[in-house]
Amino acid sequence: MAARIARIDRRHDGWRQRFIRERYLWLMALPGLLYFIIYKYVPLMGIVIAFQKYKPVQGFLHSDWVGLNNFRRIFDTPEIGKYFINTAIISCYQIVFAFTVPIFIAIMLHEIRSAAFKKIAQTLLYLPHFLSWVVVAGIFYLLFQSDGQINHLLASWGLHPINILSNKDNFRGMLVLQVIWKESGWGTIIYLAALTGIAPELYEAAKMDGAGRLRQIFHITLPGIRSTILILFILRLGSVLDVGFEQIYLMLNASVSDVGEVLDTYVYRMGVVNGDFSFTTAVGLLKGLVGMMLIVTANRLARAFGERGVY
Amino acid sequence: MKIGKGLTIATALMLTGAMLTACGDKGAGANAANASGKPSAATEKKYKISAMSILYGAAPPDNGTGKKAIEDRYHIEYNYIPVASGEYNNKLGVTLASGDVPDAVLFPYLDAVYFSSINSGQFLPLDAYLNDSAKYPNLAKLPKDVMDTLKSNGHVYGVPRLRGIPGATIVLRKDWLDKLGLQVPTTYDELYDVMKAFSEKDPDGNGKKDTYGLAAGVSNGFPFISLMAAMHAGPSVGWVEDGKGGIVPGEFAPNNKEAVGYLAKLYKDGLIAPDFAIKKDAQIEDDFLLGKAGVVGNWGYTSFNKERLEKARAVDPKFEVVAIPPLKAPDGSEGGYVKGAGFFGVFALNKELEKDPGKLDKVLHMLDDQLGDDGATFFKWGVEGVHYKVENGQKVVTDLGKTEGPNQYQLTNHANEGDWILLSSDTPETTALKQNSFAVAMQGKPYTSQDVGLYSATNAEKGAELTKNVVDGLVTVITGQKPIDYLDQMFADWKSRGGSQILTEMNEAWKARK
């Protein structure tokens, strides 16, 4: 009753009274708000340097404005096309493979009856996520370099040595496999949570109707997590041009830079190392714009198909 | 284009060694202050001086006794910022961008970042002070060749860290040579035979084919400066004269196909690790030190130090190295190594210092002092009883001296000549190796990379990316994915993307300097 009255009152109050009444809620939200304002919104002002010829001594208050020159330069730089294509291809691989693998794993885990085995499997699958990319890359180098363990083993079996670290043909595939190995287990968590939300009665009813395991998966499990998959997919599209700077930077070498150099590594090289801040900010901004357009489009599509979308 | 980076890196590595040595004179601080005619410490204002420099190996302790000795010597509060060599360029970029620039900043290379910083007025032109022989006698005595190289827009913006002119030489595993009964090679063909033997005849005697001829890799460029030197072309040698009255990057010099073709042959015949492209500076050095490769192409005299020998001998106690005289050029004429520029990196001074002449004078005095005999001796040895002790009339560095002597916090140093190329940690063996390297590097017809200190605006803007393309392209040629004639296409490509402009600007600057 009291709650109802409060709700009615609220409608008639000005924002001042509402604010006073909800002051504790605001207080609780304050740290989060401050975090976003200080670390996410204030730095957004740095974007202005994409429209300047930014010089550190002059700062962004006194650097010269150059309009869209930096953006024009993007389209005049032949490498960027190549890096964009590399980024897009690696990203596609990641969406097709690295994005879907956790769904399979989550469903498989869900089907496991033995609780103990499930726990152990989950723990083992989560573990690689906690290794930093530096460690993963280090392990890869030690295992696969020309005098690494794998090649020693192959040699002792009389087989030909393999070279996957500096081989253009498999570089992208290797990147995606690394991502799958490292992140798939961790990626299952949200799906597993969604799976617990499916009403057990549905499975019982299906069993009564004679549905086998596969049928249950296709007609109950998958539809049950469809909206979760969709939301994660839309969010993933927003970072479609972020393909994992750390990982690629660590694995990149002169032999594979033709296929492995991506926008992030280029921005790092030109911006941080060579000090071309304005230009690389423009590249980064454009990258963000592409991501935003994809999110908006995907979200519209999702809503058009009757799903809820992310907003 | 890259300017003998291999050499600079090698030099840098050696330096590291140099910095690791420690030494000192008890009470040298006070004496030196008096000797240089400074007012006594008590009446002098205590300035807070910050300096950022490059670090090889372990960082010295933040409050080491050596740093304390330096603070006493100059009566300053010293904020020394050592940055690991692998991270230096990143840190430098971030520091310059942040606007919070230390009083003295080391620029390891005269590259795009350096030129854009001095052109944007972040640093102080130093000409007036460098010529003031009354106040700064040692700065005034800096070698003219070096200072001419450093001149940009008619001004000098940096105090160099002096290095010897002798550059890197080809260095071989002497014990492998002896074991296989081979002679020191004098031509490229003989060197090929040696490398072939190193990779196929099991020089380490472990019964496995697990060695290569040449320690190879790709960091920012290739570590082949001394290997390519007598070719007068190829990667790492910097810009060379093109025989037509101009200069051109070594990668595109007239003899480039022979030079790069030599590397491609080494690769094809298995004398270089098949995945050498993944190896960076540290691994390249490890391959040589830890017995995986028998030849290294970028070691200068500073490379020979106790730490390296100890590291290598922990794996193979028989490890012996030799720096060999230059090979004959492919046409049979006398060859030579690429000479060093005479310095490695410069310290530029923050423009803000101008507002505080007293502080500026202090920073300049510090640099001046470290170049002179007295200051250099203090930095080499440190404080007696702390960083070194005297045994039988000989100074001997202590353990404390090795880890935190003043040289760990040193900015610049004495001109590298005579005994000044030696460190307090040098043993009779490293002394001999250094002196030998110093000598053979200058045999034959040594020459200088022509591009050191030349400025081209286009190169500053596009050079880094173009160089990267060239390095990537060279890797495809060396590994045989592209034929040797691909170099022509690379050159055309390089020119069309801004290289023509760089060529013009560099040649103009070069002729103006001549």
Side-chain angles (χ1 to χ4, degrees), chain B residues 60-125:
Chain B
D62 219 10
N63 286 309
T65 48
K67 185 171 153 188
K68 182 76 182 38
I70 294 172
E71 291 186 327
D72 291 345
R73 180 178 179 86
Y74 299 126
H75 190 62
I76 55 168
E77 204 178 306
Y78 189 30
N79 178 20
Y80 180 72
I81 309 159
V83 179
S85 59
E87 277 307 303
Y88 198 85
N89 281 358
N90 300 346
K91 174 77 176 177
L92 184 62
V94 173
T95 303
L96 295 172
S98 75
D100 186 15
V101 180
D103 298 315
V105 177
L106 176 75
F107 284 87
Y109 309 106
L110 305 185
D111 55 7
V113 176
Y114 170 75
F115 286 114
S116 78
S117 312
I118 62 173
N119 288 342
S120 69
Q122 248 171 319
F123 294 96
L124 205 57

Side-chain angles (χ1 to χ4, degrees), chain B residues 222-234:
Chain B
F222 300 87
F224 299 147
I225 184 164
S226 53
L227 180 67
M228 292 283 103
M231 293 275 187
H232 276 266

Side-chain angles (χ1 to χ4, degrees), chain B residues 249-271:
Chain B
E251 290 86 344
F252 305 126
N255 197 30
N256 65 342
K257 287 186 189 167
E258 184 155 20
V260 179
Y262 187 77
L263 296 171
K265 182 159 185 256
L266 296 180
Y267 183 86
K268 184 164 152 271
D269 296 347
L271 312 188

Side-chain angles (χ1 to χ4, degrees), chain B residues 210-484:
Chain B
D210 57 356
T211 50
Y212 294 103
L214 177 67
V218 189
S219 279
N220 291 310
F222 300 87
F224 299 147
I225 184 164
S226 53
L227 180 67
M228 292 283 103
M231 293 275 187
H232 276 266
S236 321
V237 298
W239 287 55
V240 295
E241 297 192 44
D242 64 2
K244 288 177 273 180
I247 56 171
V248 65
E251 290 86 344
F252 305 126
N255 197 30
N256 65 342
K257 287 186 189 167
E258 184 155 20
V260 179
Y262 187 77
L263 296 171
K265 182 159 185 256
L266 296 180
Y267 183 86
K268 184 164 152 271
D269 296 347
L271 312 188
I272 297 179
D275 55 355
F276 77 98
I278 65 171
K279 296 183 197 250
K280 306 240 182 292
D281 290 332
Q283 288 103 309
I284 301 163
E285 183 176 314
D286 278 356
D287 276 1
F288 182 67
L289 290 180
L290 307 182
K292 287 182 185 166
V295 179
V296 65
N298 66 348
W299 275 30
Y301 65 95
T302 49
S303 298
F304 300 93
N305 64 34
K306 219 171 117 199
E307 289 76 20
R308 289 212 175 86
L309 293 182
E310 279 169 2
K311 185 173 179 181
R313 285 183 183 147
V315 175
D316 183 355
K318 292 194 291 286
F319 182 89
E320 297 281 345
V321 289
V322 58
I324 66 166
L327 303 176
K328 285 201 181 69
D331 61 9
S333 65
E334 191 173 27
Y337 288 120
V338 180
K339 285 191 281 188
F343 66 100
F344 171 52
V346 298
F347 276 99
L349 304 188
N350 191 339
K351 183 102 176 175
E352 299 286 308
L353 286 171
E354 223 172 12
K355 295 176 190 155
D356 188 347
K359 188 172 172 185
L360 173 61
D361 175 66
K362 182 60 89 179
V363 177
L364 287 165
H365 167 69
M366 283 171 68
L367 292 167
D368 182 70
D369 180 54
Q370 297 180 20
L371 285 158
D373 288 0
D374 183 71
T377 307
F378 164 74
F379 275 91
K380 182 169 177 179
W381 293 104
V383 180
E384 183 173 2
V386 181
H387 304 121
Y388 76 97
K389 50 189 191 278
V390 178
E391 283 172 6
N392 310 326
Q394 294 273 337
K395 288 178 180 173
V396 179
V397 63
T398 63
D399 286 343
L400 199 61
K402 281 180 200 161
T403 53
E404 54 179 74
N407 53 24
Q408 298 280 336
Y409 310 91
Q410 189 167 5
L411 299 178
T412 183
N413 53 272
H414 195 280
N416 272 205
E417 57 201 16
D419 281 351
W420 286 107
I421 68 172
L422 302 176
L423 309 174
S424 60
S425 62
D426 271 323
T427 61
E429 185 188 13
T430 57
T431 302
L433 285 167
K434 266 184 190 171
Q435 285 167 344
N436 175 50
S437 166
F438 210 73
V440 298
M442 295 302 276
Q443 288 178 11
K445 289 184 189 157
Y447 62 99
T448 315
S449 294
Q450 298 299 311
D451 53 335
V452 180
L454 293 187
Y455 176 70
S456 143
T458 313
N459 195 28
E461 189 195 325
K462 298 181 177 163
E465 198 58 17
L466 286 175
T467 301
K468 184 191 177 301
N469 285 338
V470 171
V471 170
D472 291 352
L474 283 173
V475 169
T476 63
V477 175
I478 293 171
T479 56
Q481 297 170 53
K482 293 269 166 62
I484 192 77

